[in-house]
Amino acid sequence: MIKLKQILLEALGDCYQAGGRLIMNFFGDKDHKLVHGMVDGQGPLSGIRFGHCWVESKDTVLDHSNGKKRELPKQVYYNLGNINADECHYYTPEEASKWMLKSKHWGPWEMSGDTVMAEEIPDSKVEMGKHNLRIKPEDLEKIQTFL
């Protein structure tokens, strides 16, 4: 059985960039959304919530972080990560591109994405994705062509 921890540990550092690049493939498609949300860690990451990014297509989650191409049923992904849909931010490809152009980074945009520690967990911070990673000028030009 695939554990969300395995997926996310492999995705160290590029979930926002990977999700941002992936959503650009779906301009004009209303079935695909870029999602920024908080997930629960498992195993050694138990008790830690952190920001993560993925793409959803109807009832399937596409998590292409770190060059992987993971696709899981949305309900399974949300259950594994204890994801609360009400805490997530969902963006159409067009909305995501506007945020990218405005902020000049891959995300997160409307949430901190900061690691949240449970009271009994030591205060060492675990980074799961580089927040506010700047978008290169050549990528900004490509994104602008979609608008």
Side-chain angles (χ1 to χ4, degrees):
M1 179 162 117
I2 297 174
K3 291 189 176 181
L4 187 60
K5 178 188 121 183
Q6 292 168 314
I7 295 169
L8 297 176
L9 282 177
E10 290 177 0
L12 268 172
D14 80 342
C15 64
Y16 293 102
Q17 182 177 10
R21 288 183 183 279
L22 180 59
I23 198 65
M24 293 295 106
N25 294 315
F26 301 108
F27 262 81
D29 182 338
K30 300 204 182 312
D31 291 332
H32 288 80
K33 301 269 195 265
L34 179 72
V35 185
H36 291 170
M38 297 295 288
V39 299
D40 279 358
Q42 298 175 356
L45 299 176
S46 182
I48 301 172
R49 286 184 63 75
F50 47 87
H52 189 55
C53 178
W54 61 92
V55 171
E56 291 182 7
S57 174
K58 294 185 181 177
D59 293 328
T60 302
V61 168
L62 312 172
D63 189 338
H64 288 198
S65 302
N66 202 29
K68 304 292 181 187
K69 295 193 182 208
R70 307 267 190 201
E71 299 185 6
L72 294 169
K74 180 178 175 177
Q75 186 172 356
V76 171
Y77 195 84
Y78 275 52
N79 286 341
L80 287 171
N82 193 26
I83 298 168
N84 179 347
D86 293 334
E87 296 175 350
C88 293
H89 295 274
Y90 299 86
Y91 306 94
T92 65
E94 292 78 12
E95 291 167 338
S97 65
K98 288 176 184 175
W99 275 103
M100 290 176 206
L101 291 171
K102 177 182 174 182
S103 67
K104 296 188 177 29
H105 64 77
W106 296 107
W109 304 306
E110 297 182 279
M111 58 181 251
S112 73
D114 289 341
T115 302
V116 179
M117 307 296 284
E119 291 178 3
E120 67 274 0
I121 302 293
D123 236 13
S124 60
K125 187 172 180 176
V126 178
E127 293 288 348
M128 297 301 289
K130 296 177 184 170
H131 300 152
N132 302 332
L133 181 63
R134 303 297 292 173
I135 299 176
K136 295 177 185 174
E138 58 269 22
D139 288 330
L140 282 173
E141 289 176 20
K142 289 177 190 172
I143 293 166
Q144 279 181 312
T145 64
F146 290 108
L147 295 179

